[in-house]
Amino acid sequence: MIGKYDYYHKNNSFEQLIAKDDFRLLRYSKDAAMKHAYTLPGSVRGMSNRACKIFPGLALCAGVGGVAVLVAEAETAFFGAPWLEPLVLAILIGAVLRTLWRPHEYFHAGIGFSAKTLLEIAIVLLGAAVSAQTLLSVGPGMLAGIVAVVALVVPGSYYLGRLMRLPARMALLIACGNGICGNSAIAAVAPVIDADSDDVSASIAFTAVLGVFVVLSLPMIGHLAGLQALQYGVLSGLTVYAVPQVLAAAAPMGTAAIQIGTLVKLVRVLMLGPITVVLSMLASRLPDEGQSNVAPRAMKKGFMPPLFIFGFLGMIGLRSVGAIPQEILSPINIGANVMTVIAMAALGLSVDARAVMNAGPRVIATVVLSLVLLIALGLGLITLLAT
């Protein structure tokens, strides 16, 4: 038998032994099997190794995200609505876990993958929620007004942040969060401007808490300003951060307010693309200010916008021409939400709670003043369109 094995081993490959269907001989071919394993293509081995490195951290982030979803479900069961969304809860839970336990470097690759790559995929998928037909339905005057408000709020909020002596990147994160779409905008802009995870988490945490306050207080502002349902819907769409929050804020004024508020909000979401492209052009001019993981300026790609922004705009185009079937829009939206929650958990697991607390008072002041600016410009637009 040994001699027969030597003959086969000498003259036949591992694949040929399998083809002969002679497992008596194949069991002696351990060395051939090992040789076969080590002759896998380099790209396959690389992908396998990377997947093994990513999985532990990805599983950890998914676990934290799952806990956040369960907590939000519990909020709904007890209070009728979630006071804090899963996105915010994922960051808070991740940050608490990071404070109590420092993840081993075994988890680092998966946490980094979740915070960057997974988030970029989610942002691309979010583009399927917007179409050109939806945008045009708000009317040219309203469309131009919304664009103007965002174009004024983002730089205005940035300079307010700098006035409060915030780092340039954190000031930009808060400005985009307030001016565009809250957590999603902050998360999308962060990789473009090389923002630290501490800045991202602090911006999202404080912006989200204030977002809940806006939802609760906006009906009173609308009542004091004497706004009609459609006008109040415009104000809701211009000032509230997330689409579900727009629905909650506009609900007291009825269905018309909800519909116009949602449309205005979607136009704000669309501004994420152009704003991010502009910021990618300006990112090289931002001061480093102690950034730990910023590529050398000479290594940057100049004015090339991130690929996920092209993907985001491409999805809008596909939705506009009807290339995305209606029946898969809901699964796409669910997938984007799941990925975003996991990415937020990764950001929380990357944050240093001490850095967040140190930035607290200045961040709060910047967010509040930025929101005041946004409400003032929103009321101004409503007044202008009414004349």
Side-chain angles (χ1 to χ4, degrees), residues 281-337:
M281 298 178 182
L282 302 176
S284 61
R285 303 181 186 181
L286 295 175
D288 284 347
E289 296 177 314
Q291 298 297 107
S292 57
N293 294 312
V294 179
R297 297 305 178 195
M299 299 290 291
K300 288 189 175 292
K301 298 181 181 179
F303 297 146
M304 181 67 178
L307 291 179
F308 71 87
I309 295 301
F310 289 114
F312 176 80
L313 297 175
M315 289 293 281
I316 294 175
L318 292 175
R319 173 72 188 278
S320 300
V321 299
I324 302 178
Q326 190 71 29
E327 55 269 19
I328 71 169
L329 289 177
S330 180
I332 287 176
N333 185 55
I334 293 173
N337 289 337

Side-chain angles (χ1 to χ4, degrees), residues 95-96 98-100 102 170 198-199 201-202 206 348 350-363:
V96 170
R98 170 66 174 78
T99 301
L100 300 176
R102 186 182 185 88
M170 179 177 279
D198 293 337
D199 292 345
S201 297
F206 288 116
S350 305
V351 71
D352 183 348
R354 291 169 295 182
V356 175
M357 296 306 296
N358 290 338
R362 290 174 292 156
V363 174

Side-chain angles (χ1 to χ4, degrees), residues 210-385:
L210 191 62
V212 174
F213 173 78
V214 172
V215 171
L216 298 176
S217 61
L218 200 62
M220 181 178 63
I221 295 175
H223 177 73
L224 293 175
L227 300 180
Q228 303 297 320
L230 292 178
Q231 294 173 326
Y232 178 75
V234 171
L235 182 64
S236 300
L238 283 173
T239 55
V240 178
Y241 299 141
V243 173
Q245 291 178 338
V246 172
L247 300 179
M253 289 288 189
T255 304
I258 292 175
Q259 291 175 342
I260 189 65
T262 302
L263 288 176
V264 170
K265 175 62 184 173
L266 289 176
V267 176
R268 283 176 68 199
V269 172
L270 181 63
M271 291 296 293
L272 180 61
I275 289 291
T276 309
V277 171
V278 171
L279 290 179
S280 70
M281 298 178 182
L282 302 176
S284 61
R285 303 181 186 181
L286 295 175
D288 284 347
E289 296 177 314
Q291 298 297 107
S292 57
N293 294 312
V294 179
R297 297 305 178 195
M299 299 290 291
K300 288 189 175 292
K301 298 181 181 179
F303 297 146
M304 181 67 178
L307 291 179
F308 71 87
I309 295 301
F310 289 114
F312 176 80
L313 297 175
M315 289 293 281
I316 294 175
L318 292 175
R319 173 72 188 278
S320 300
V321 299
I324 302 178
Q326 190 71 29
E327 55 269 19
I328 71 169
L329 289 177
S330 180
I332 287 176
N333 185 55
I334 293 173
N337 289 337
V338 169
M339 292 182 194
T340 306
V341 170
I342 295 174
M344 294 302 102
L347 289 176
L349 288 167
S350 305
V351 71
D352 183 348
R354 291 169 295 182
V356 175
M357 296 306 296
N358 290 338
R362 290 174 292 156
V363 174
I364 292 174
T366 302
V367 172
V368 170
L369 291 174
S370 178
L371 181 61
V372 170
L373 174 63
L374 181 59
I375 292 175
L377 288 174
L379 291 173
L381 175 62
I382 291 170
T383 302
L384 181 64
L385 292 175

Side-chain angles (χ1 to χ4, degrees), residues 6 18-19 23-24 28 38 40 50 53 61 96 127 158 179 217 227 270 297 305 307 344 367 382:
D6 288 340
I18 295 175
F23 288 95
R24 270 187 319 107
Y28 291 101
Y38 285 103
L40 287 173
R50 178 162 173 75
K53 290 180 179 179
C61 296
V96 170
Y158 170 75
S217 61
L227 300 180
L270 181 63
R297 297 305 178 195
L307 291 179
M344 294 302 102
V367 172
I382 291 170

Side-chain angles (χ1 to χ4, degrees), residues 78-102:
F78 282 104
F79 306 110
W83 289 94
L84 292 176
E85 296 180 343
L87 292 178
V88 181
L89 289 168
I91 285 184
L92 295 178
I93 295 171
V96 170
L97 182 59
R98 170 66 174 78
T99 301
L100 300 176
W101 168 69
R102 186 182 185 88

Side-chain angles (χ1 to χ4, degrees), residues 19-65:
K20 291 177 183 296
D21 198 22
D22 190 345
F23 288 95
R24 270 187 319 107
L25 299 175
L26 188 59
R27 66 179 180 175
Y28 291 101
S29 61
K30 181 183 293 184
D31 54 343
M34 295 299 294
K35 181 179 179 182
H36 175 76
Y38 285 103
T39 55
L40 287 173
S43 59
V44 175
R45 291 201 306 273
M47 290 175 61
S48 177
N49 291 337
R50 178 162 173 75
C52 291
K53 290 180 179 179
I54 287 173
F55 179 77
L58 176 60
L60 175 63
C61 296
V64 172

